């Protein structure tokens, strides 16, 4: 509570947070291109890690790595997918396709082995040990305005929300791990 209020007082925009195995809390600070790290028992932030522009998505994989999906911003976007070890050292840094406008909503498979996210092109996926993300979308959006993504932590079913025109009723599509 107090730590997040301290960010708000400084004009920070936070989007996601995760707890790592050691109990620390990592917070995506979109305004300042940082992952802020807190110890729940501390009254101040204990560390921070620099990221790409607008770290929006945040998950912890099966190996304990913290993945940040950076949207890259709206003006001259430079989207990135980055991974950090528990000490804050960057262990992976992938530049994402700028044609896949505004990647967001990073999710993780139940086994912690596969990353998923959405962009203007569709639904993307990447194994946590892949050499690089695949080009293009795993499941193309076919013109839909995909706005939200969730992964059922038990079944791995992916739920994608289509905002359509942002005024009328939206739709939700479900996909299994094969993209069906």
């Amino acid at each position: 509570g107090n730590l997040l209020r301290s960010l708000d007082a400084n004009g920070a925009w936070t989007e996601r947070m995760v707890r790592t195995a050691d109990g620390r809390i990592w917070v995506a600070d979109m305004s300042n291109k940082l992952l802020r790290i807190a110890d729940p028992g501390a009254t101040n932030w204990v560390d921070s890690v620099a990221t790409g522009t607008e770290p929006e998505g945040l998950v912890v994989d099966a190996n304990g790595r913290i993945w940040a999906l950076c949207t890259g911003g709206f003006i001259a976007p430079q989207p990135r997918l980055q991974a950090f070890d528990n000490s804050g050292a960057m262990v992976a840094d992938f530049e994402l396709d700028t044609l896949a406008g505004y990647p967001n909503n990073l999710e993780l498979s139940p086994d912690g082995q596969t990353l998923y996210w959405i962009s203007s092109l569709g639904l993307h996926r990447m194994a946590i040990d892949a050499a690089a993300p695949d080009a293009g979308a795993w499941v193309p959006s076919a013109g839909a305005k995909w706005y939200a993504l969730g992964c059922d932590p038990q079944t791995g079913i992916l739920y994608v929300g289509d905002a359509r025109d942002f005024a009328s009723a939206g739709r939700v599509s479900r996909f299994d791990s094969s993209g069906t």
Side-chain angles (χ1 to χ4, degrees):
N2 289 337
L3 292 173
L4 290 180
R5 279 194 286 282
S6 75
L7 283 178
D8 290 340
N10 292 311
W13 171 12
T14 59
E15 238 354 273
R16 303 273 193 268
M17 66 178 74
V18 293
R19 182 181 293 247
T20 53
D22 64 2
R24 294 186 308 162
I25 300 169
W26 293 55
V27 179
D29 178 351
M30 289 183 68
S31 316
N32 298 300
K33 299 195 255 184
L34 294 172
L35 298 181
R36 304 256 185 181
I37 305 167
D39 180 326
T43 56
N44 292 314
W45 299 99
V46 295
D47 204 353
S48 63
V49 176
T51 66
T53 302
E54 294 186 0
E56 184 272 347
L58 203 57
V59 297
V60 180
D61 74 16
N63 297 328
R65 289 176 295 196
I66 298 93
W67 289 86
L69 178 64
C70 304
T71 70
F74 287 108
I75 300 168
Q78 296 178 327
R80 308 195 81 73
L81 180 62
Q82 299 173 315
F84 302 87
D85 68 17
N86 202 38
S87 74
M90 187 180 297
V91 294
D93 184 16
F94 301 111
E95 187 174 319
L96 298 178
D97 184 355
T98 56
L99 294 177
Y102 209 77
N104 61 86
N105 283 271
L106 184 63
E107 290 286 331
L108 188 65
S109 62
D111 64 4
Q113 297 292 327
T114 306
L115 302 164
Y116 299 99
W117 65 93
I118 55 175
S119 76
S120 61
L121 295 180
L123 177 59
H124 303 261
R125 75 172 177 178
M126 184 181 99
I128 61 170
D129 58 357
D134 290 336
W138 172 53
V139 178
S141 62
K145 296 203 176 20
W146 286 355
Y147 192 73
L149 173 66
C151 183
D152 184 300
Q154 301 299 316
T155 66
I157 298 288
L158 297 160
Y159 294 86
V160 181
D162 179 359
R164 299 179 70 191
D165 61 8
F166 293 93
S168 55
R171 287 186 256 207
V172 174
S173 299
R174 298 182 323 156
F175 296 95
D176 64 18
S177 60
S178 68
T180 303

